[in-house]
Amino acid sequence: MYRYCGPLFEGFYIAIDSDGRVVCSCRDDQNSLTMTLGRVPGSSLYDIWHGEKAESIREMFRQNTPPELCLNCPFILHTDDKRKLYRTIKTPYMVFLETNSTCNLKCKRCDRERIIKNRERAHMPLEDYKAIINDLNTLEYFKVLTLYNFGEPFMHKDIYDMLLFNRAKAPFINVNISTNGLLLDSKEKQRIVAATVDQIIFSIDGSSEQSYIQYREGGVFEKAYNNMASLANEKRQAASDIDIIWRYLLFRWNDSDEELQRAIELSEKAGVRLYWHITSIPPGAPSLKYTIDDEIYTPKIKGRLWIEHPYGVLNVKRNGYDPRKWERITAQGVSDYFARYKKGNEAPAAKSVGIARKYFSMLRDRLNKRD
């Protein structure tokens, strides 16, 4: 049995920190100082992907002596076929791009001081961002840009210019972003997001103020929910294809039948999709009612939930190079799972290009003026 690094061999993603360091995992917030593969925009991601550091790590896996720092990584995969370790995809399919590593909340599981300490720069300059996007746009198999990691993306002063730049220069790249939702508080901001983002995840862990603030310290449930609902309304008005997801971490204080039923009703009222995320951290907080590998069963919502693994903890098994034919397989050692609410038999439909045509020319003109 051979172990190997899912990101470096399978290519399902790679991560770029706010200071431009390229690392093989979006969870590499502690080891990026020692596991840096290269830096952007000083080098191209293609050269880094095939560079000396990345190849040396792959070779360690081929010799069945992986770096010690990798042993507890949730993205370590296993195979009996050593030939798999000599087949490396030419470029990654997805890139986690962290534009900002600061946050406006103090969530219980988050050690913000350590995260910022491990970054040489908390905010990525706009010009560096543009250079990175232009570089990514040349990669053969790159399809998904995930604009978050260990910070709140909308705290970056240039985030909306970054989103506009994506659509002007790389319109066929699928753009995902995650937020606590508190800063997306104006019509103009929501209009730009609806026109430039394919999928946005709102992290709102509760369906009432009392349950929400126990984890999202410093947040306001009503404000986060109203901003999410307002964006959903903008989506309808603009005929946007943006996929809006309410991501709800399950803890012992927010997992009652009443709390979950209220979340369902609020998600339907807003017109967004609702995911429940079963987590194993922080200590003493995870739900006792819904645990890892359990089928979620509640009388009020029976048949309306199912388990799905999140992005970033998957081994993507390819069938050719058509992502629609790829199979998602659980990575070894994964501790977190998603439970997703689905209304009726309607399948989730996140389209590859989420441009609201009504606003595209306006956005392009605005970007050109800034350039």
Side-chain angles (χ1 to χ4, degrees), residues 142-311:
F142 171 62
K143 299 296 181 184
V144 179
L145 178 65
T146 301
L147 282 177
Y148 61 91
N149 197 12
F150 283 98
E152 166 55 48
F154 291 100
M155 283 194 71
H156 198 296
K157 66 182 181 65
D158 295 319
I159 185 61
Y160 298 101
D161 289 314
M162 291 173 171
L163 294 175
L164 293 169
F165 186 83
N166 294 339
R167 281 311 181 216
K169 303 299 183 181
F172 299 106
I173 297 303
N174 188 294
V175 177
N176 303 329
I177 199 165
S178 180
T179 177
N180 56 48
L182 296 168
L183 302 177
L184 202 58
D185 54 1
S186 74
K187 187 75 171 178
E188 182 181 6
K189 294 175 182 177
Q190 293 162 6
R191 183 172 295 172
I192 293 174
V193 169
T196 60
V197 174
D198 294 287
Q199 182 182 87
I200 184 168
I201 299 172
F202 284 81
S203 294
I204 304 176
D205 314 308
S207 59
S208 65
E209 184 70 18
Q210 184 178 4
S211 62
Y212 169 82
I213 60 173
Q214 292 194 53
Y215 181 71
R216 301 283 170 183
E217 295 181 8
V220 179
F221 170 77
E222 184 176 8
K223 183 175 183 179
Y225 173 79
N226 286 341
N227 288 346
M228 178 175 65
S230 295
L231 178 61
N233 185 56
E234 176 61 32
K235 168 185 175 176
R236 290 186 288 270
Q237 292 182 6
S240 167
D241 289 329
I242 186 173
D243 184 26
I244 305 174
I245 293 173
W246 175 355
R247 179 174 177 262
Y248 186 130
L249 290 175
L250 284 169
F251 299 112
R252 59 188 62 189
W253 56 77
N254 68 2
D255 64 354
S256 68
D257 292 359
E258 293 74 20
E259 194 85 17
L260 299 188
Q261 183 62 35
R262 184 163 56 246
I264 289 176
E265 293 168 0
L266 288 173
S267 70
E268 291 179 339
K269 180 180 179 181
V272 300
R273 293 200 291 129
L274 174 63
Y275 287 68
W276 281 284
H277 184 169
I278 304 175
T279 182
S280 59
I281 50 178
S287 170
L288 298 176
K289 189 174 182 181
Y290 304 120
T291 58
I292 302 302
D293 292 329
D294 282 354
E295 290 291 337
I296 290 187
Y297 178 88
T298 302
K300 292 183 179 180
I301 52 178
K302 179 182 177 183
R304 307 178 82 183
L305 294 152
W306 77 97
I307 302 297
E308 180 177 87
H309 310 292
Y311 298 123

Side-chain angles (χ1 to χ4, degrees), residues 3-18:
R3 293 168 292 187
Y4 66 102
C5 172
L8 283 181
F9 284 89
E10 295 287 346
F12 56 80
Y13 81 91
I14 203 165
I16 302 173
D17 292 339
S18 58

Side-chain angles (χ1 to χ4, degrees), residues 14-41:
I14 203 165
I16 302 173
D17 292 339
S18 58
D19 55 9
R21 282 180 293 194
V22 180
V23 294
C24 60
S25 169
C26 68
R27 293 192 178 186
D28 193 10
D29 62 312
Q30 299 182 60
N31 301 327
S32 60
L33 296 175
T34 55
M35 294 295 285
T36 300
L37 304 180
R39 290 176 179 270
V40 289

